[in-house]
Amino acid sequence: MSHAFDAASAAAATHTTAEPRVPGLLGTIDRALKGVNHVIMLLGGIALVCACLVLSYSVVIRYVLHEPTDWQDEMAVFLIVGATFFSAAAVQAKRGHVAIEALTGLLSPRVNRARLLVADVISFVFVTFFAWKSWTLLHEAWVDGQVSQSSWGPPLWIPYILMAIGMTLLGLQFALQIVEEILYGAEKAGWANPKIGLGADLNRDAAGQSGATPTGTRPLGDPLANTVPDTKVTGRHP
């Protein structure tokens, strides 16, 4: 199983060079999605902080001032749902979702490229269905005026619209990466990009120790095709 650590481990000891931009309309869409994802990640972080503040406030009000509230739980859930679904596309852009890599080392690079493309297509189909159902639920909640069954009773279109927009962005991200895989290869679709994760930190810590540096998997034959070796000398040498 991979939590985006393998690629991070394999790439942490190298310095990346700027990848050539995807040309034409596809490149414009790619850069636009990157800009949207950047903004969404910032908003998602703010939403998670707000959820923590809401829950902390409810604890203080309930157990210190003895004034229970009825809105904090659902408010925190709405914020977390928004942060989770909206950031899904940004995580996918970095190939950061959990993946099963049990077959990676058993298949040839060509078969692995096909496997990655098939996995993206299947994921796109599922996400598209999820987005369609979310928009359907949003329409029903808006037309029927559905509200939560809690005493606070917020309108249900709020969580549904967060799910619908988040899954739509994720579907667009999958569609973009599928087209990039077909036209330019899997490396261009994010598989060769260094990722941020525990693996990268472990690799940096193990640098210089023979046999201790994790190398990760190479499902595409050379996932570091867009990087150059790190020739900087660090530490003391005899």
Side-chain angles (χ1 to χ4, degrees), residues 160-174:
Y160 290 150
I161 195 172
L162 297 176
M163 295 167 55
I165 295 177
M167 288 297 97
T168 300
L169 290 174
L170 181 57
L172 290 175
Q173 185 66 52
F174 268 118

Side-chain angles (χ1 to χ4, degrees), residues 87-108:
S87 62
V91 176
Q92 174 59 27
K94 297 180 179 296
R95 297 291 181 178
H97 289 294
V98 175
I100 305 299
E101 301 293 345
L103 299 177
T104 300
L106 303 177
L107 303 177
S108 66

Side-chain angles (χ1 to χ4, degrees), residues 36-179:
V36 172
N37 289 335
H38 179 70
V39 174
I40 286 176
M41 290 297 286
L42 293 177
L43 295 178
I46 294 174
L48 292 178
V49 171
C50 291
C52 294
L53 293 177
V54 167
L55 293 177
S56 300
Y57 168 80
S58 68
V59 171
V60 173
I61 291 295
R62 177 173 300 180
Y63 295 102
V64 176
L65 302 180
H66 304 290
E67 296 181 5
T69 56
D70 60 355
W71 57 269
Q72 75 283 344
D73 291 338
E74 284 181 303
M75 175 66 75
V77 168
F78 289 174
L79 291 170
I80 294 173
V81 166
T84 301
F85 281 90
F86 266 58
S87 62
V91 176
Q92 174 59 27
K94 297 180 179 296
R95 297 291 181 178
H97 289 294
V98 175
I100 305 299
E101 301 293 345
L103 299 177
T104 300
L106 303 177
L107 303 177
S108 66
R110 177 176 297 181
V111 176
N112 267 315
R113 291 187 184 96
R115 176 182 63 86
L116 297 176
L117 178 59
V118 170
D120 280 351
V121 171
I122 294 175
S123 299
F124 171 74
V125 172
F126 171 77
V127 169
T128 301
F129 174 77
F130 200 133
W132 170 69
K133 289 301 295 182
S134 297
W135 285 110
T136 301
L137 292 173
L138 170 62
H139 180 263
E140 293 177 355
W142 180 270
V143 172
D144 298 338
Q146 298 176 3
V147 297
S148 170
Q149 296 181 356
S150 67
S151 57
W152 183 32
L156 288 180
W157 64 262
I158 296 177
Y160 290 150
I161 195 172
L162 297 176
M163 295 167 55
I165 295 177
M167 288 297 97
T168 300
L169 290 174
L170 181 57
L172 290 175
Q173 185 66 52
F174 268 118
L176 173 65
Q177 290 179 323
I178 290 171
V179 175

Side-chain angles (χ1 to χ4, degrees), residues 22-44:
V22 177
L25 178 61
L26 191 63
T28 302
I29 297 174
D30 181 72
R31 292 187 290 274
L33 276 180
K34 286 181 180 178
V36 172
N37 289 335
H38 179 70
V39 174
I40 286 176
M41 290 297 286
L42 293 177
L43 295 178

